[in-house]
Amino acid sequence: MSGTPSAAAPETVDPVMSAAPGAAAVGAEDASRVAARLQELVEGHRLSPSQRRIARHLMERPHEAVFLTGNDIAEAVGISQPSVTRFAFALGFAGFPEFRDHLRAALRDGQDVPAAPAALNPVQAMVESELRNLEQLRDGLADTARLIEVAGALAASRPLPVLGLRVSAPLAHLFGYLASKAHPDVRVIDAPGSTMEDRLSRAADAGAAWVLAFGLPRYPRELRDGLVWARRAGLRVALVTDHAVGPLAEHADAVLAAPVSSRFAFDSQAAPSVLCAALVHAMLGALPTPEQSSIEEFENSAAERRLFLPG
């Protein structure tokens, strides 16, 4: 094939498709609609690093995205054409042409698609995605019964093992640091394998009833094994993760979910961090009064020792 379309056998003319790929661009208003449709598609999907690169490439070029072929994108991003197809699959389409048709629909009936804020640069758009995640978390906590129920169970568990591996380890340590201000025996576990199993078993033997686990993407196989082992040891599992239905949820007795943004080079955990703080807050409220008072005692001691700088 020469790459030049034959004039003898044209298909039905589509004004969106009529310009040559790479040379055509839609107007600013239409580009805004395409950007909004792209953002709408990407939000809430777990994408691989190469798929994120594709999404970023398209979001940075909404004015020409509807004209690009799978080969155009593969060449520009430096990946294989099948990777572009898998990107479309990941977003729920049968292939790249169907995905592109969905973008083109934003031009035809774009009036029902809110335009992306024109003033936002790519980094601001990433932050905007986190704001939506926080709004989703906020709305999901309209009924706090489940949060309070889980917090009460964790408060009553003595000791309280807290499990987090790899990227989830910092949240486990944050929860452990805050909770230990009042809970008398919080044990953070961040090492996989037999060490993790030993510490979970010892916690169960010492009287623990629950383990709190943080399981954010990407989900370590060792964490799943740890949850299986914890239940085998007689512990109930409370899981903080990004989806109520996911690869770890089936191994948990209670699941608290907060969305994770995948638009950054590495996942942003703003919403799970807020959920972590909310869970600590609720747990402290469920502790006996003498243990709650230990927080005030610490503050008094810290003031006397001048642990923190003023202001």
Side-chain angles (χ1 to χ4, degrees), residues 15-238:
V16 172
M17 300 175 64
S18 60
V26 299
E29 184 177 350
D30 284 338
S32 183
R33 291 190 180 114
V34 173
R37 182 64 61 93
L38 275 166
Q39 187 166 308
E40 181 183 87
L41 288 172
V42 171
E43 291 298 328
H45 287 88
R46 172 64 29 204
L47 300 179
S48 70
S50 63
Q51 290 165 355
R52 292 182 196 173
R53 286 162 55 199
I54 296 172
R56 190 176 304 118
H57 179 79
L58 293 172
M59 287 179 172
E60 290 173 352
R61 298 162 180 80
H63 55 287
E64 61 183 41
V66 294
F67 301 111
L68 299 177
T69 67
N71 286 331
D72 293 331
I73 296 172
E75 181 176 349
V77 178
I79 58 175
S80 66
Q81 198 280 333
S83 295
V84 179
T85 301
R86 287 192 290 272
F87 167 76
F89 290 162
L91 296 181
F93 297 97
F96 183 78
E98 183 178 304
F99 162 76
R100 189 177 53 197
D101 286 345
H102 188 77
L103 292 186
R104 290 170 174 169
L107 305 182
R108 302 187 184 99
D109 58 5
Q111 60 272 18
D112 63 346
V113 179
L120 296 186
N121 62 41
V123 175
Q124 287 178 308
M126 295 181 205
V127 175
E128 180 73 15
S129 73
E130 278 293 8
L131 293 177
R132 283 192 293 276
N133 283 343
L134 289 170
E135 290 174 349
Q136 183 178 332
L137 175 64
R138 177 201 63 197
D139 295 344
L141 290 174
D143 182 354
T144 58
R146 187 59 166 168
L147 178 73
I148 293 173
E149 178 186 359
V150 172
L154 298 178
S157 182
R158 309 299 173 87
L160 174 59
V162 180
L163 177 60
L165 304 180
R166 294 183 180 269
V167 76
S168 299
L171 268 187
H173 281 282
L174 174 62
F175 181 93
Y177 175 79
L178 298 175
S180 64
K181 299 296 183 183
H183 192 290
D185 192 356
V186 179
R187 305 180 183 183
V188 178
I189 304 171
D190 61 4
S194 59
T195 299
M196 172 183 62
E197 295 171 353
D198 290 344
R199 295 190 65 188
L200 288 170
S201 294
R202 285 199 297 271
D205 292 342
W210 284 79
V211 57
L212 172 63
F214 290 87
L216 301 175
R218 298 160 64 186
Y219 315 106
R221 175 179 50 79
E222 296 98 333
L223 180 58
R224 179 206 61 195
D225 296 343
L227 301 186
V228 172
W229 182 270
R231 298 178 87 177
R232 186 183 304 170
L235 296 171
R236 301 188 70 186
V237 175

Side-chain angles (χ1 to χ4, degrees), residues 6-23:
S6 170
E11 296 183 4
T12 302
V13 175
D14 184 331
V16 172
M17 300 175 64
S18 60

